[in-house]
Amino acid sequence: MEASSDRLQTIFSLQETLNDRIFAKKEIRDHQGNLLNMAYLREQANSGQGLGPNSETNEWLGKYLEALNDEGRELKEELLWKWWSKDNLNLQNIRVEIIDQFHFWISLALTAGLDAEKVYQIYMQKNQVNHDRQSQDYSKKNKNEEDNRPII
């Protein structure tokens, strides 16, 4: 388990470095005029203060979500929907598109103040909720979010 955790931590660190490089290269600034960086976005998210609609956290969550959605569209374009077609999936490109999505997903997580360890902890809790829902014949009829509230 440790090796996987270390790999996830490495991926988070690499993504933060890439995002900071892009902010610097494009001279993207925060609302105070300072060069934007992921540490600032993470601090803002974790402070719980100033998280309104005009916050950098909200702005960058929106930008990363838009990019993630676009990568989803690109992945969808790789899928074959014509059942009469003689084409084959291009798994190499599909895999690259999935990793592109992963880049933006990690950027979303970082912007929301999550690190690799917190993602792991929340994932484990939510995974248990999903298993419990399956045991309880989860459906629209009995759907509510109460089982998600204890997740921290």
Side-chain angles (χ1 to χ4, degrees), residues 62-76:
K63 288 179 179 185
Y64 288 133
L65 180 59
E66 184 176 352
L68 178 64
N69 288 337
D70 193 60
E71 292 299 339
R73 180 195 53 76
E74 290 180 13
L75 174 59
K76 185 166 179 19

Side-chain angles (χ1 to χ4, degrees), residues 31-149:
H31 291 173
Q32 287 78 40
N34 301 313
L35 196 59
L36 188 63
N37 60 60
M38 293 307 297
Y40 172 79
L41 290 173
R42 199 171 44 255
E43 286 171 25
Q44 186 180 61
N46 287 328
S47 76
Q49 308 239 333
L51 296 177
N54 297 315
S55 68
E56 283 111 343
T57 301
N58 188 63
E59 175 184 352
W60 283 95
L61 284 171
K63 288 179 179 185
Y64 288 133
L65 180 59
E66 184 176 352
L68 178 64
N69 288 337
D70 193 60
E71 292 299 339
R73 180 195 53 76
E74 290 180 13
L75 174 59
K76 185 166 179 19
E77 288 177 2
E78 290 296 324
L79 301 179
L80 305 173
W81 62 272
K82 296 177 181 177
W83 60 91
W84 61 89
S85 173
K86 293 185 180 178
D87 294 327
N88 291 304
L89 290 173
N90 181 342
L91 284 177
Q92 185 277 337
N93 206 42
I94 286 170
R95 291 170 180 153
V96 169
E97 294 300 342
I98 290 168
I99 298 305
D100 284 346
Q101 288 181 323
F102 195 47
H103 276 90
F104 290 115
W105 183 90
I106 295 167
S107 294
L108 278 167
L110 288 166
T111 304
L114 298 172
D115 59 18
E117 182 60 30
K118 192 64 176 173
V119 165
Y120 176 80
Q121 291 169 4
I122 292 173
Y123 177 88
M124 296 303 289
Q125 293 173 61
K126 180 60 178 175
N127 186 266
Q128 185 60 54
V129 166
N130 289 343
H131 277 284
D132 292 346
R133 286 177 173 181
Q134 291 305 306
S135 296
Q136 299 162 3
D137 293 326
Y138 187 68
S139 69
K140 286 183 185 179
K141 181 177 73 172
N142 61 11
K143 181 181 192 298
N144 69 54
E145 293 300 317
E146 288 304 313
D147 52 0
N148 282 326
R149 296 206 193 288

